[in-house]
């Protein structure tokens, strides 16, 4: 269970090696200075007249040295001030260094996980809930960063403790062993709270993940929730989730207060034992007794914070596990090859050949979404795929897009086979894609367009808008290209949004334009407009249309009819519509 934690600490070490070593040296320096500052109590107490009649021990040595050298109080006080000033300076320097290590480590880890997730294959996103990914990034990652850092702080605390215990041991070895023994007993007593904390934390993490999913789905489906009038049910679900989380949090608070109770009572018992042994059994030098007492009263909060830190770390372990699992899954799904060094594009000359391609969602799935499909899309032509819902149209489009890999068969772009990840990546780079519910950023129209092609000139932008038949609309807006589209393009109508997205796709001068049910959610008027825009592109571009409505594909050069993952008919609109026996005819009659 501690393995993921070590991994992150190791990452932290690899990331900030030099700074971390400097930090550790500073910590040792701080520990030594703090020890020296405590040791200064010995000459100070001696000069104040507290002495002992013992003739051995460090106290006696200091007494003799002060007598022989004749060192006066002002000099000892100056040394005391010097040590404390040095300690304060080191402390402030160390805290700045710590904060810089922590922040750069956080940036590194966040960017790293974001990158790993983003570069994972599409299949990963098909199998993973978005809410779970967002939950890991926004809720679990901060815990991981705090945890790795806290672990480091615990090591630092342990190092300082070792220095202090070392000093105490030199002064009073038996008393020190006694205190350490008592500390061990106390830790043993607290083991059960640690185990229980770990269990509760896993439950808490799972509950939080579910709650996050619930919130995300709630706001994604808010329109449906309101139209069905199920607000009360949703609020009740939310309340139930919170009640569960609240219960776990109260349990954790109980555990924390239990440990703190055990600590406080234990401290009182151990101080009494310490005094009893020091005075009655060891007959200790009062100065050494005072110093050992000072050391342990300073160490006690450290022990206690070490214990609390350990408990918090235990609480964070489920977060480490979740982040590590996600990271490992993404890594296993990362597209291989020199993907991001290459920028060249595919330039379709002959066409796209889909040869005997089959695909299913998951190796254990009995049902193939696409089965033994063969077809050719000549460059510069329009191909349409039609079929009833679930026939496999979008899956086939995703295969041609290079988002998913065929389980069997091959896809060829001219004479290049889409086999390697890097090929598929470059191919996607060369495609314009317009899905049914296209995505627009909450930014200006210009930003939304240039996102796909940052090097676009003003002329390129207007040309693309014109091709998508939306240039007049944009010209009419008060801020033209710089008008804001609102969250997900909410300030635009469905048709305007789709045409902006079409313009964005065209801006890249794509080798292939894929329209995946791009007009199915539009009204007739908007559909007509976008249809005109698409018709205007015929012959200029290679187009693949996945269509629900037959009216949108009348002018296609080739129509493929799909049924249960297979292509069952192919031809042109005119031929099909005259053949009442054709499946296409029946489809057209249904739509
Ligand atoms: N992510 C997925 N996981 C598992 N099965 C899936 C997934 N996506 C699609 N399928 C299944 O694959 C088959 C083909 O789906 P696909 O979306 O390609 O059909 P479609 O013809 O595009 O349907 P529609 O017109 O309704 O969008 C369907 O049986 C569907 O249930």
């Amino acid at each position: 269970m501690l393995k993921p934690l070590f991994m992150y600490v190791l990452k932290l070490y690899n990331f900030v090696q030099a700074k971390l070593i400097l930090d550790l040296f500073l910590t040792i320096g701080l520990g030594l200075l703090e020890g020296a500052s405590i040791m200064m109590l010995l000459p100070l107490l001696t000069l104040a007249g507290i002495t002992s009649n013992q003739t051995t021990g460090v106290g006696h040595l200091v007494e003799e040295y002060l007598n022989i050298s004749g060192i006066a109080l002002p000099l000892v006080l100056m040394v005391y001030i010097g040590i404390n000033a040095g300690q304060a300076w080191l402390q402030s320097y160390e805290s700045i260094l710590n904060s810089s290590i922590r922040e750069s480590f956080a940036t590194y880890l966040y960017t790293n996980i974001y990158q790993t997730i983003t570069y994972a294959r599409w299949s990963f996103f098909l199998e993973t809930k978005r809410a779970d990914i967002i939950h890991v990034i926004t809720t679990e990652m901060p815990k991981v960063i705090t945890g790795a850092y806290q672990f480091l702080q615990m090591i630092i605390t342990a190092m300082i403790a070792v220095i202090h215990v070392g000093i105490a041991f030199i002064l009073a070895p038996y008393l020190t062993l006694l205190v350490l023994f008592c500390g061990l007993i106390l830790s043993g007593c607290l083991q059960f709270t640690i185990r229980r904390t770990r269990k509760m934390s896993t439950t808490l993490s799972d509950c939080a993940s579910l709650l996050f999913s619930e919130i995300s789905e709630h706001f994604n489906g808010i329109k449906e929730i309101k139209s069905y009038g199920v607000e009360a049910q949703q609020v009740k679900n939310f309340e139930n989730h919170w009640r569960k989380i609240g219960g776990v949090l109260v349990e954790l608070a109980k555990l924390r207060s239990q440990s703190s109770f055990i600590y406080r009572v234990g401290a009182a018992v151990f101080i009494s034992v310490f005094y009893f042994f020091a005075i009655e059994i060891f007959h200790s030098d009062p100065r050494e007794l005072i110093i050992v007492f000072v050391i342990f009263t300073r160490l006690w909060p450290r022990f206690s914070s070490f214990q609390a830190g350990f408990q918090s770390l235990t609480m964070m372990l489920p977060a480490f596990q979740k982040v590590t699992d996600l990271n490992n899954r993404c890594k296993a799904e990362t597209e291989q090859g020199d993907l991001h060094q290459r920028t060249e594009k595919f330039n379709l000359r002959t066409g796209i050949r889909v040869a005997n391609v089959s695909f299913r969602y998951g190796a254990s799935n009995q049902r193939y979404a696409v089965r033994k499909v063969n077809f050719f899309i000549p460059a510069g032509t329009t191909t349409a795929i039609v079929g009833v819902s679930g026939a496999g149209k979008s899956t086939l489009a995703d295969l041609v897009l290079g988002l998913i890999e065929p389980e069997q068969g091959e896809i060829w772009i001219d004479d290049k086979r889409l086999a390697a990840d890097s090929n598929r990546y470059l191919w996607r780079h060369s495609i314009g894609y317009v899905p049914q519910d296209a995505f627009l950023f909450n930014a200006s129209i210009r930003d939304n367009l240039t996102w796909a092609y940052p090097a676009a000139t003003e002329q390129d932008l207007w040309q693309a808008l014109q091709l998508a038949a939306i240039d007049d609309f944009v010209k009419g807006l008060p801020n033209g290209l710089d008008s804001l589209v609102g969250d997900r393009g909410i300030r635009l109508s469905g048709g305007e949004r789709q045409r902006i997205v079409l313009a964005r796709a065209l801006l890249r001068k794509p080798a292939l334009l894929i329209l995946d049910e791009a007009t199915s959610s539009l009204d007739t008027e908007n559909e007509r407009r976008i249809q005109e825009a698409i018709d205007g592109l015929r012959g200029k571009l290679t187009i693949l249309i996945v269509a629900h409505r037959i009216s949108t594909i009348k002018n296609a050069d080739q129509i493929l009819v799909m049924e249960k993952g297979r292509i069952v008919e192919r031809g042109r609109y005119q031929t099909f519509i005259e053949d009442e026996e054709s499946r296409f005819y029946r489809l057209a009659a249904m739509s």
Side-chain angles (χ1 to χ4, degrees), residues 263-292:
Y263 248 105
R264 291 192 71 169
V265 175
V269 172
F270 293 146
I271 286 173
S272 311
V273 171
F274 171 78
Y275 264 103
F276 181 80
F277 271 79
I279 294 165
E280 295 292 329
I281 313 262
F282 299 129
H283 306 292
S284 306
D285 175 339
R287 288 161 306 171
E288 288 174 1
L289 181 62
I290 290 171
I291 293 175
V292 172

Side-chain angles (χ1 to χ4, degrees), residues 111-132:
T111 315
N112 200 270
I113 190 122
Y114 211 71
Q115 176 172 328
T116 317
I117 296 169
T118 308
Y119 286 145
R121 291 193 182 95
W122 183 241
S123 48
F124 165 78
F125 293 96
L126 288 175
E127 289 158 10
T128 315
K129 269 163 64 182
R130 309 278 152 95
D132 288 349

Side-chain angles (χ1 to χ4, degrees), residues 161-192:
V162 166
I163 294 172
H164 283 199
V165 169
I167 294 170
F169 193 80
I170 293 168
L171 290 172
Y174 294 118
L175 270 183
T176 307
L177 286 178
L178 176 74
V179 175
L180 288 180
F181 178 67
C182 293
L184 273 179
I185 293 180
L186 196 56
S187 295
C189 293
L190 288 164
Q191 276 313 303
F192 87 95

Side-chain angles (χ1 to χ4, degrees), residues 82 106 112 152 163 168 187 192 218 235 299 348 380 392 430 517 563 586:
N112 200 270
L152 208 68
I163 294 172
S187 295
F192 87 95
H218 177 81
V235 173
L299 264 187
L348 198 63
S430 322
E517 317 228 357
E563 231 177 67
R586 285 203 293 276

Side-chain angles (χ1 to χ4, degrees), residues 126 361 365 367 369 388-396 517 548:
L126 288 175
Y361 290 96
N365 198 336
R367 206 165 159 265
V388 293
S389 181
K393 307 179 293 292
S394 294
T395 307
L396 188 54
E517 317 228 357
H548 244 227

